[in-house]
């Protein structure tokens, strides 16, 4: 069942997007040409004492936060809901509870105002973020994206809007997940990535010879499980009782720096292999939450320089989950001539880039 549509996609001038795929509640309003009018992100803190995101708690927090956040973003832009021409919401992949809350909220607004709805793919949104006009990158197809986050680690050749070639992905932990787990081993807080990077500035990245899983092998897949195990065994030599808060500060810093360097070396190697498979790539892009890591950025920037192509990383606020990227992904689809999605489009925890839109549940078809 589709909501009646009174605005055609090409007449849409203001788009409001909602992102709730994990533990960040986000909303943004963009003009049809990609100008950011207002944005807001609320990061949940209740998960810190639990050492990771609890899906049900995250979903409930999104439900509590969305009304006020949407109102705040509208106020920042000096707009009302009636001014919005089209709504978009992250519909997958991610934690199903949060996806249902956010996408349903966006759908509800679309139905109430008789406006169209766009279902956004979270991974596609990260991949297309660098093409946002206000970033000034002038990024042209095709380009290569290294998507590095807590839940995803993929190497994707971006051929056109909606046409992507997945060259490789993680066969176990995503890079961000490995950062969080190693940070926990070192007795750091959650989320672990930023805390580990900060600690690493005090250490030597050549202090310990940690493994570089899959480095030098064919293909573009990633594996961080062995590296994580090696770090655990190394820590056990200093902390056999498991009281992580008793680790010597310099030892912990050296482990953090050595681990971070190992991940960066692996990512650089995988990027080299990917560029060999994508000789026409005009740029190398890093996206996702871990793209905020300076050591990783520098390693990939050197790879791009070696190949004589542009390197681009979004601003830090657009690396982590946000609604600006969701809005822009929806706008890219509209610019490419696609029509809005059915209002009954289902949220789903897995949504491969090869599939344009999640299927409508059988009970609605």
């Amino acid at each position: 069942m589709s909501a009646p549509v009174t605005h055609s996609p090409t007449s849409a001038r203001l788009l409001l997007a909602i992102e709730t795929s994990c533990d960040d509640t986000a909303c943004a309003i963009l003009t049809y040409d990609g100008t950011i009018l207002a944005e807001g992100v609320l990061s949940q803190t209740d998960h810190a004492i639990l050492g990771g995101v609890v899906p049900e708690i995250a979903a409930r927090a999104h439900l509590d936060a969305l009304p006020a956040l949407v109102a705040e973003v509208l106020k920042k832009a000096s707009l009302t809901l009636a001014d919005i021409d089209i709504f978009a919401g992250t519909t997958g992949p991610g934690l199903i509870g949060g996806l249902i809350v956010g996408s349903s909220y966006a759908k509800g607004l679309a139905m109430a105002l008789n406006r169209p709805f766009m279902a956004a793919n979270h991974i596609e949104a990260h991949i297309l973020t660098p093409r946002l006009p206000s970033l000034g990158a002038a990024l042209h197809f095709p380009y290569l994206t290294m998507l590095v986050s807590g839940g995803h680690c993929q190497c994707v050749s971006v051929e056109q809007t909606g046409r992507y070639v997945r060259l490789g992905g993680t066969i176990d932990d995503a890079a961000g997940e490995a950062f969080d787990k190693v940070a926990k081993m070192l007795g750091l807080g959650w989320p672990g990535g930023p805390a580990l990077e900060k600690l690493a500035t005090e250490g030597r990245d050549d202090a310990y010879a940690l493994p570089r899983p899959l480095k030098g092998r064919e293909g573009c897949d990633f594996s961080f499980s062995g590296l994580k195990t090696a770090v655990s065994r190394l820590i056990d030599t200093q902390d056999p009782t498991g009281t992580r808060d008793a680790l010597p500060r310099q030892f912990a810093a050296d482990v953090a720096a050595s681990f971070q360097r190992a991940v960066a070396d692996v990512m650089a190697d995988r990027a080299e292999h990917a560029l060999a498979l994508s000789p026409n790539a005009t740029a190398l892009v890093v996206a996702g939450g871990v793209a905020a890591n300076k050591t990783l950025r520098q390693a990939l920037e050197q790879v791009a320089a070696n190949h004589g192509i542009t390197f681009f990383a979004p601003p830090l606020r657009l690396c982590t989950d946000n609604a600006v990227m969701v809005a822009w992904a929806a706008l890219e689809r509209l610019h490419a001539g696609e029509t809005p999605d059915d209002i009954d489009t289902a949220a789903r925890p897995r949504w491969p880039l090869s599939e344009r839109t999640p299927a409508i549940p059988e009970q609605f078809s």
Side-chain angles (χ1 to χ4, degrees):
M1 178 180 68
S2 298
V5 175
T6 56
H7 290 53
S8 70
T10 54
S11 70
R13 289 293 175 264
L14 295 176
L15 185 147
L16 184 148
I18 290 172
E19 153 64 21
T20 55
S21 65
C22 191
D23 63 324
D24 289 321
T25 311
C27 177
I29 300 173
L30 272 63
T31 63
Y32 191 61
D33 65 2
T35 301
I36 303 170
L37 298 183
E39 58 182 302
V41 179
L42 293 176
S43 297
Q44 299 174 15
T45 58
D46 292 345
H47 308 280
I49 59 174
L50 301 172
V53 177
V54 179
E56 184 175 350
I57 292 176
R60 291 177 181 274
H62 289 312
L63 189 60
D64 290 341
L66 269 173
L69 180 62
V70 170
E72 177 187 338
V73 171
L74 284 165
K75 184 177 180 181
K76 285 182 182 178
S78 299
L79 297 168
T80 67
L81 282 173
D83 296 316
I84 305 301
D85 297 282
I86 187 166
F87 293 87
T90 303
T91 310
L95 300 179
I96 189 61
L99 293 170
I100 290 174
V101 169
S103 63
S104 295
Y105 198 89
K107 292 174 188 177
L109 294 176
M111 293 180 71
L113 292 159
N114 202 25
R115 299 291 196 266
F117 168 76
M118 295 290 288
N121 182 301
H122 182 83
I123 296 176
E124 181 180 47
H126 274 302
I127 287 172
L128 293 175
T129 296
R131 284 175 48 80
L132 188 66
S134 61
L135 299 184
L139 198 62
H140 301 292
F141 300 118
Y143 60 89
L144 182 69
T145 295
M146 306 295 288
L147 176 61
V148 197
S149 70
H152 309 282
C153 195
Q154 296 185 33
C155 180
V156 180
S157 176
V158 185
E159 307 294 321
Q160 289 288 341
T161 301
R163 193 165 83 232
Y164 313 106
V165 179
R166 186 178 183 275
L167 301 175
T170 183
I171 59 177
D172 41 56
D173 291 348
E177 185 180 1
F179 266 90
D180 284 341
K181 289 181 177 178
V182 169
K184 187 175 182 179
M185 294 178 199
L186 292 171
L188 303 176
W190 181 90
L196 188 147
E197 182 178 15
K198 182 178 180 180
L199 178 61
T201 62
E202 302 175 26
R204 289 176 36 230
D205 63 7
D206 60 350
Y208 299 103
L210 294 172
R212 270 68 168 162
L214 301 185
K215 182 180 178 181
R217 297 191 188 180
E218 292 185 5
C220 307
D221 286 335
F222 309 87
S223 172
F224 296 106
S225 181
L227 172 59
K228 189 179 60 180
T229 299
V231 172
S232 178
R233 289 174 176 169
L234 175 60
I235 292 174
D236 285 343
T237 64
Q238 294 284 324
D239 183 33
T241 62
T243 55
R244 301 311 197 203
D245 55 353
L247 288 174
R249 178 78 177 186
Q250 190 58 54
F251 170 77
D254 286 344
V255 171
S258 299
F259 165 79
Q260 183 175 255
R261 170 51 56 192
V263 173
D265 287 351
V266 168
M267 295 302 298
D269 176 77
R270 302 291 84 187
E272 289 278 5
H273 283 250
L275 286 170
L277 297 174
S278 306
N280 296 321
T282 61
L284 174 61
V285 171
V286 61
V290 186
N293 184 281
K294 293 180 181 178
T295 299
L296 177 60
R297 285 188 183 221
Q298 291 168 356
L300 293 177
E301 187 172 12
Q302 185 58 57
V303 172
N306 293 343
H307 287 261
I309 60 175
T310 300
F311 171 76
F312 186 80
L316 297 185
R317 81 179 200 285
L318 297 182
C319 287
T320 52
D321 293 347
N322 64 89
V324 171
M325 70 178 192
V326 175
W328 179 244
L331 288 169
E332 282 261 26
R333 289 284 186 176
L334 291 173
H335 288 309
E338 295 196 17
T339 56
D341 295 293
D342 194 288
I343 204 70
D344 290 325
T345 299
R348 58 188 286 190
R350 297 185 182 277
W351 182 5
L353 285 171
S354 57
E355 299 177 20
R356 168 57 195 108
T357 304
I360 299 172
E362 287 186 12
Q363 62 264 37
F364 296 119
S365 60

